[in-house]
Amino acid sequence: MPELPEVETIKEDLRELVVGSKVEEAQVLASALVEQPSAEELVRRLQGTEIIEARRRAKHLVIDLDSGDALVLQLKIGGQLLLVPPVEEPATALMLVLRLDGDRSLFLRDETGFTRVRLLEAEGLEERFAGLGPEPLSDEFRSGYLRQKLGGRRAGIKGLLLDQKVVSGIGNIYVDEALFDARIHPTRKANTLTEGEWTRLQSAVKENLAAGIEHRGTTFSLYRDVLGRRGHHQEHLKVFVQAGKPCPGGCGGKVVRKKVGGRATFLCPACQPENGLGEEVGLELELRP
Ligand SMILES: [Zn+2]
């Protein structure tokens, strides 16, 4: 499922390649796609508009139109937004086609069929995003934020980090990577984390998301950028889907897969012990590259 780095990559592609284009025609090809308004109204309100900006909020992609409307996409699991040409016209799993000026089109396709869109006015957009936590790569995610927000909670740290009301845009891949870097077991209760662990976790969240963006996202099978290219971050993953491989922390142990809150979770049991490492190891870890 596209998380912050994947949606950010698509947003940057749209800014470079699509902003400034006019939508000459819109076709909805999957009735389940449009959550708001009706499919007919969405088509009517899209046609003849100009795309003036592309933005990201959490895992949502926002395409602003000169009419004042915003097309909000949730690319769930298999959602792809492809620019044709240069991408060859896809024939299957189509959900929405926007015919642009200059003989180009944007194809939204999703083999899993879970992608959803909404067309919202400014007010509706504000309401939709009102409950979301801060963007982890913004100044709002200030030092000490996670400890202040979660330090009193008894729930497991992984589940709390996946809550979009706490922090925006993190999903299963980047949360496991960040918890490994911070040497924190995913089921640790938040109220047992030490000051040093909170500091490491806060930096690890930022560093892993920034690395994901730098590598243009993680592609296991379905994620593509607007030009149909795969991301590269899967080549840099430390624990996520690495079960059985040697721990990259150099402990001599192996990465294991567990279920945490119903989700596949990857960790090194030696580097991320269930009861914590204690404070003395913390300082050494701050020095990792
Ligand atoms: Zn290890």
Side-chain angles (χ1 to χ4, degrees), residues 19 50 57 61 109 120 123 129 254 273:
V19 165
E50 188 188 318
R57 179 72 175 100
L61 181 65
R109 68 184 297 273
L120 300 170
E123 206 173 279
F129 293 161
K254 281 186 175 151

Side-chain angles (χ1 to χ4, degrees), residues 173-174 176-183 204-205 207-209 211-212 215 233-249 254-256 266-268 272 288-289:
I173 301 171
Y174 296 92
D176 281 6
E177 293 287 292
L179 286 168
F180 171 74
D181 274 350
R183 302 297 192 264
V205 164
E207 283 163 19
N208 278 282
L209 292 169
H215 300 133
H233 195 61
Q234 65 279 8
E235 295 152 26
H236 302 269
L237 293 171
K238 288 155 281 191
V239 289
F240 195 77
V241 300
Q242 308 298 311
K245 293 191 187 162
C247 166
K254 281 186 175 151
V255 176
V256 303
F266 299 86
L267 67 139
C268 170
Q272 298 162 269
R288 73 175 182 281

Side-chain angles (χ1 to χ4, degrees), residues 136-148:
L137 297 174
S138 75
D139 295 340
E140 239 191 305
F141 193 65
R142 61 192 188 281
S143 147
Y145 170 82
L146 284 177
R147 182 176 50 77
Q148 283 160 25

Side-chain angles (χ1 to χ4, degrees), residues 13-28:
D13 283 357
L14 290 177
R15 277 193 176 170
E16 195 187 320
L17 300 164
V18 173
V19 165
S21 301
K22 213 174 156 186
V23 180
E24 292 184 337
E25 196 194 337
Q27 291 168 275
V28 173

